[in-house]
């Protein structure tokens, strides 16, 4: 499996950005997908997760109501729409894939099997 994240960049606080992650190598619809982020000097943390069908999504409390995860199984791509961005959202964002269905909400890093290379999001105040 190869994951390629894109869409990061510099944005002002209050702005929006959409990240994309393209998936290849296996059947995309067999995988739950997630986004994590790693702020400077901190541990990688969960951001959002969407089931293989796209029917269910869950979010970290810090982004709920501002971020939306979605997927297009025809395009083998998962998205993270980020709105009302804050300086504390500054981080490297990683997409991840988990074969099958993740049974828990707010999954952890160990629930995912494959990782992309990350894309940097910088939010200026």
């Amino acid at each position: 499996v190869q994951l390629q994240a894109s869409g990061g960049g510099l944005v002002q606080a209050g702005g929006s950005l959409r990240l994309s992650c393209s998936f290849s190598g296996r059947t995309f619809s067999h995988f739950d997908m997630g986004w994590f982020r790693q702020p400077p000097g901190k541990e990688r943390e969960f951001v959002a997760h969407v089931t293989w069908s796209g029917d269910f999504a869950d979010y970290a409390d810090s982004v709920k109501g501002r971020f939306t995860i979605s997927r297009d199984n025809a395009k083998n791509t998962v998205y993270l729409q980020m709105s009302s961005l804050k300086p504390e959202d500054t981080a490297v964002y990683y997409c991840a894939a988990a074969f099958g269905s993740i049974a828990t909400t707010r999954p952890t890093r160990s629930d995912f099997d494959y990782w992309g290379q990350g894309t940097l999001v910088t939010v200026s105040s």
Side-chain angles (χ1 to χ4, degrees):
V1 170
Q2 291 81 44
L3 300 172
Q4 182 70 43
S6 61
L10 175 64
V11 62
Q12 288 188 331
S16 299
L17 209 57
R18 189 178 80 157
L19 305 183
S20 300
C21 176
S22 62
F23 175 104
S24 62
R26 298 275 294 276
T27 302
F28 184 55
S29 60
H30 291 177
F31 288 79
D32 279 16
M33 298 297 295
W35 287 95
F36 286 71
R37 67 185 182 186
Q38 188 163 10
K42 296 185 179 180
E43 296 289 316
R44 194 173 301 187
E45 62 185 19
F46 168 75
V47 174
H49 153 244
V50 64
T51 55
W52 63 270
S53 64
D55 288 344
F56 175 78
D58 57 328
Y59 301 89
D61 287 341
S62 59
V63 307
K64 192 176 295 184
R66 300 188 298 122
F67 290 12
T68 302
I69 188 171
S70 62
R71 65 189 294 159
D72 186 336
N73 285 352
K75 294 183 178 180
N76 290 355
T77 302
V78 62
Y79 304 97
L80 185 68
Q81 178 67 49
M82 305 184 294
S83 302
S84 302
L85 283 162
K86 305 175 182 179
E88 50 264 44
D89 294 318
T90 294
V92 177
Y93 283 72
Y94 297 89
C95 60
F99 182 70
S101 297
I102 295 174
T104 63
T105 58
R106 314 279 177 91
T108 64
R109 292 177 62 179
S110 62
D111 290 309
F112 292 85
D113 304 300
Y114 302 97
W115 293 84
Q117 86 291 358
T119 186
L120 176 62
V121 173
T122 304
V123 183
S124 63
S125 57

